[in-house]
Amino acid sequence: MKDHFEMFAAYNRWANEALYAAATTLTPEEFGSNRGAHFGSMKGTLNHLLCADRIWMRRFTGAGDAPAALDVILFEELAALEVARKVEDERIADWVAGVEEESLGQNFTYTPITNPQLVTQKLGSAMLHFFNHQTHHRGQCHMILTSLGKPSLTLDLVYFQRFAGKQWL
């Protein structure tokens, strides 16, 4: 399983780079325009992804800043958000590289923001959610881009494996 999580961390970085490259084609008005996604705009959705990743990484590692809500706008401007995203993606990849295989089956306890009741689950299943959540919201960003008339992105995991992550074929 650890190898899969290392692949997901690399895929996450790769997909975010493609998404942010596409987002740079947006005007500031388009970046902030509500397109009906759960967090409204590209700005809201990309900020949510960074918020959620920081929250989960704080849970996983016990370190780092974590917002107190899922809809915090950490960065108004795309350029600053992109820098923070790259830093967080490296942090994620570094952390995953240090995770011991046997720890994936051990219990992990945290308190969700949305319902402050302790939750205990296997670390590996929490990590699966962590990476799946990113994919889910990148899909919403893809919808935002296409609703604004921008080209469709190819973000499939198998596309990453074929071209940038061949070691996971």
Side-chain angles (χ1 to χ4, degrees):
M1 282 305 296
K2 180 175 162 93
D3 186 56
H4 291 337
F5 289 122
E6 289 175 347
M7 176 187 63
F8 290 147
Y11 166 71
N12 180 61
R13 181 183 321 138
W14 172 85
N16 283 335
E17 287 172 1
L19 180 58
Y20 274 80
T24 64
T25 69
L26 300 177
T27 66
E29 293 76 26
E30 290 171 328
F31 182 62
S33 115
N34 188 331
R35 305 305 290 181
H38 188 79
F39 291 91
S41 63
M42 181 69 80
K43 177 171 74 173
T45 305
L46 291 177
N47 270 281
H48 165 71
L49 271 170
L50 185 59
C51 285
D53 285 357
R54 286 180 173 180
I55 290 166
W56 277 104
M57 287 301 290
R58 172 88 177 164
R59 290 172 183 162
F60 292 144
T61 68
D65 292 330
L70 296 171
D71 60 352
V72 174
I73 300 297
L74 299 168
F75 298 94
E76 291 286 337
E77 304 296 325
L78 179 61
L81 184 58
E82 183 175 17
V83 169
R85 176 77 267 166
K86 287 179 180 182
V87 169
E88 198 66 25
D89 286 345
E90 287 304 313
R91 180 178 177 226
I92 291 166
D94 290 346
W95 175 71
V96 169
V99 169
E100 299 292 333
E101 181 81 35
E102 55 275 2
S103 69
L104 297 173
Q106 294 175 355
N107 282 341
F108 166 71
T109 301
Y110 62 95
T111 304
I113 289 176
T114 55
N115 180 13
Q117 303 290 324
L118 283 179
V119 172
T120 298
Q121 67 185 96
K122 303 292 185 211
L123 176 62
S125 69
M127 291 172 67
L128 286 170
H129 164 74
F130 175 66
F131 287 112
N132 185 65
H133 177 261
Q134 295 164 358
T135 300
H136 165 70
H137 284 293
R138 276 193 298 267
Q140 291 181 346
C141 290
H142 179 271
M143 177 276 304
I144 291 167
L145 288 167
T146 57
S147 76
L148 290 166
K150 304 299 179 182
S152 181
L153 298 176
T154 303
L155 297 175
D156 290 345
L157 177 63
V158 72
Y159 188 79
F160 161 76
Q161 291 168 326
R162 290 177 188 156
F163 298 100
K166 290 184 179 187
Q167 65 266 42
W168 289 289
L169 277 176

